[in-house]
Amino acid sequence: MSPRGKQSLPEALALVLAARIQDPEVLGAVSQIAADEKWIFVPLREAIDVDEYPWDALIVDARKSPEDAMELCASIKDDPHRRDRYVIVAAAAEDVERRVKSLDRGADDVVSIPIRERELVSRLRIAARAIELRRTLLLTNTRLERLASSDALTQLHNHATIHSLLAGTFSIVKEARGRVSIALVDIDHFKRINDTLGHLAGDRVIETLSTVLANAVGTRDSVARFGGEEFAVLMPDSTVDDAVSTAHTIRAAIEAHFRDQPELPDVTVSIGVANYPQTAFTSAEEMFDAADMALYRAKDAGRNTIRVERRTSPREKHLVIATRKRRRERQLGIPPKVEKIVDYDGDDTISSRAGLPSFLRETDDESDRIEN
């Protein structure tokens, strides 16, 4: 029998019926019924065939090796990749205990031997309807999962997904003493684009930029839109220098693309980068906040530039809290306030921009300056 993918039958009819039956008479009856119903029929002789062949429904003869049949049913239903398949156990009509046990162990249906043709035809048709329903549900669930994990405008990962990916990656990397980087990318003067050209133009800029951004990163990197004009790039197994190189590629690619598109406004981005173990973060959230702080420094340095968190220890907790508060205020459109704060060296300073610590406005460490 040809592999399933090469069949020319309509999808609604291209169902694969497999059978693990040793009785030639029973096997012949099932084969004939499958042919009449336009099912692809595959006789399987070994248990390994059941694992490897892409069948939709399986008939198992439970008379000669009942325990093997029961175990096969249970293993299929316990496997998350196969539990949606349809299993029919063939048992002697008088063996009520075996029939009940088959259903308890995961069989979807039980048929009697000797085979009653009309009964089996009806049961196979029920199986076909059940399989099509399961396919529809699986497709629907896949679409819902995609919607829940992706941004509607750009189809990139969304805020929740990138945080989940970062948390999972950070946990693995910290345990294995590996490395990971994250870059936060923010469109410069995006509000000006919305105000002057309208929100439709702003959406087009975001859609175009998301494509350029996704094409500029490595195949192992994950890209997300986690705010209005804010994006994140998660880079597993990357050094801080790797991440900076990727950030330069992103910044240059975006600037060049929009400069060469006369129907679109000129667009630049600012980028903040953080790396573990370059900085000994204790959590994924702390790492994300550090990249956000670096992004603030890039903005304050004149935009269209990159700043990197290069210190060996995380920032003080009160500064992290101040940065999160300012991020929320920015998202809500609350104007910046001038307030007294304490910078990371412990000196009292007065911030003239957004009530942020002085290190978010400038840095004396030349190693932290990544110029265009």
Side-chain angles (χ1 to χ4, degrees):
M1 184 60 61
S2 301
R4 179 183 175 187
K6 296 182 180 179
Q7 299 294 324
S8 60
L9 295 173
E11 181 62 22
L13 297 177
L15 299 175
V16 178
L17 173 64
R20 227 181 93 188
I21 300 173
Q22 295 180 350
D23 187 325
E25 185 178 347
V26 176
L27 190 64
V30 173
S31 174
Q32 185 57 54
I33 292 170
D36 293 342
E37 293 297 305
K38 298 184 180 178
W39 281 46
I40 302 168
F41 181 69
V42 183
L44 303 178
R45 305 192 183 281
E46 302 292 339
I48 192 171
D49 293 337
V50 176
D51 294 330
E52 294 183 351
Y53 203 90
W55 51 270
D56 296 301
L58 171 68
I59 297 181
V60 181
D61 191 344
R63 293 176 301 166
K64 290 188 177 181
S65 302
E67 289 306 317
D68 287 349
M70 298 303 100
E71 179 146 354
L72 179 59
C73 288
S75 67
I76 291 171
K77 293 305 175 179
D78 288 341
D79 184 347
H81 301 294
R82 297 191 299 169
R83 63 177 51 160
D84 62 324
R85 299 188 185 182
Y86 203 90
V87 180
I88 303 171
V89 171
E94 65 277 8
D95 193 351
V96 176
E97 182 179 352
R98 185 69 58 205
R99 297 161 68 87
V100 171
K101 191 173 181 180
S102 299
L103 295 170
D104 289 341
R105 296 295 293 274
D108 294 282
D109 200 357
V110 179
V111 296
S112 300
I113 295 180
I115 294 289
R116 299 180 177 87
E117 183 175 341
R118 290 181 60 189
E119 177 188 2
L120 184 56
V121 167
S122 296
R123 292 186 182 280
L124 288 178
R125 288 175 178 171
I126 291 172
R129 291 196 295 269
I131 291 166
E132 290 302 314
L133 177 59
R134 289 175 181 179
R135 286 181 177 178
T136 302
L137 289 175
L138 182 61
L139 181 60
T140 301
N141 287 338
T142 301
R143 288 173 176 168
L144 289 174
E145 289 173 2
R146 190 181 300 118
L147 288 173
S149 63
S150 62
D151 174 67
L153 180 62
T154 64
Q155 307 307 310
L156 298 175
H157 292 311
N158 60 16
H159 182 280
T161 302
I162 197 65
H163 276 283
S164 177
L165 289 172
L166 175 59
T169 303
F170 184 85
S171 177
I172 294 171
V173 164
K174 191 173 182 183
E175 181 72 22
R177 297 185 179 182
R179 55 196 181 184
V180 62
S181 301
I182 189 166
L184 301 188
V185 182
D186 188 275
I187 302 176
D188 297 328
H189 301 297
F190 184 70
K191 186 176 184 301
R192 185 183 301 169
I193 295 173
N194 272 339
D195 290 345
T196 57
L197 301 177
H199 289 280
L200 289 179
D203 286 350
R204 187 178 177 193
V205 165
I206 288 174
E207 288 181 280
T208 302
L209 186 143
S210 69
T211 301
V212 176
L213 176 56
N215 290 334
V217 303
T219 55
R220 297 181 59 191
D221 301 337
S222 299
V223 183
R225 180 189 178 206
F226 70 94
E229 70 274 22
E230 297 171 309
F231 299 81
V233 181
L234 179 63
M235 295 166 275
D237 194 29
S238 64
T239 65
V240 66
D241 291 335
D242 293 335
V244 169
S245 177
T246 298
H248 273 299
T249 300
I250 291 169
R251 189 204 62 76
I254 290 172
E255 183 177 29
H257 182 87
F258 282 91
R259 185 177 57 235
D260 295 339
Q261 301 295 321
E263 73 278 9
L264 295 173
D266 288 342
V267 172
T268 61
V269 296
S270 300
I271 303 176
V273 176
N275 172 272
Y276 178 89
Q278 170 68 35
T279 304
F281 302 114
T282 60
S283 68
E285 186 176 27
E286 195 173 55
M287 184 178 180
F288 190 92
D289 287 330
D292 203 31
M293 291 175 180
L295 174 59
Y296 276 117
R297 296 207 308 277
K299 289 289 188 182
D300 203 66
R303 296 178 171 82
N304 192 23
T305 189
I306 300 163
R307 287 293 182 269
V308 184
E309 169 60 82
R310 287 187 179 271
R311 301 192 313 135
T312 57
S313 61
R315 301 190 181 284
E316 296 295 330
K317 184 177 180 180
H318 70 280
L319 297 178
V320 173
I321 293 173
T323 303
R324 291 177 188 166
K325 177 183 177 183
R326 181 58 208 132
R327 187 196 305 156
R328 289 195 297 269
E329 290 175 345
R330 184 178 65 177
Q331 290 172 345
L332 294 172
I334 300 174
K337 297 179 180 179
V338 176
E339 61 183 27
K340 188 174 182 179
I341 48 93
V342 180
D343 72 6
Y344 67 89
D345 290 323
D347 299 326
D348 288 341
T349 63
I350 300 295
S351 170
S352 60
R353 289 178 58 86
L356 295 174
S358 58
F359 66 77
L360 297 185
R361 295 179 283 107
E362 60 187 5
T363 177
D364 295 327
D365 184 0
E366 287 301 319
S367 69
D368 188 51
R369 295 184 178 276
I370 309 294
E371 303 298 347
N372 299 329

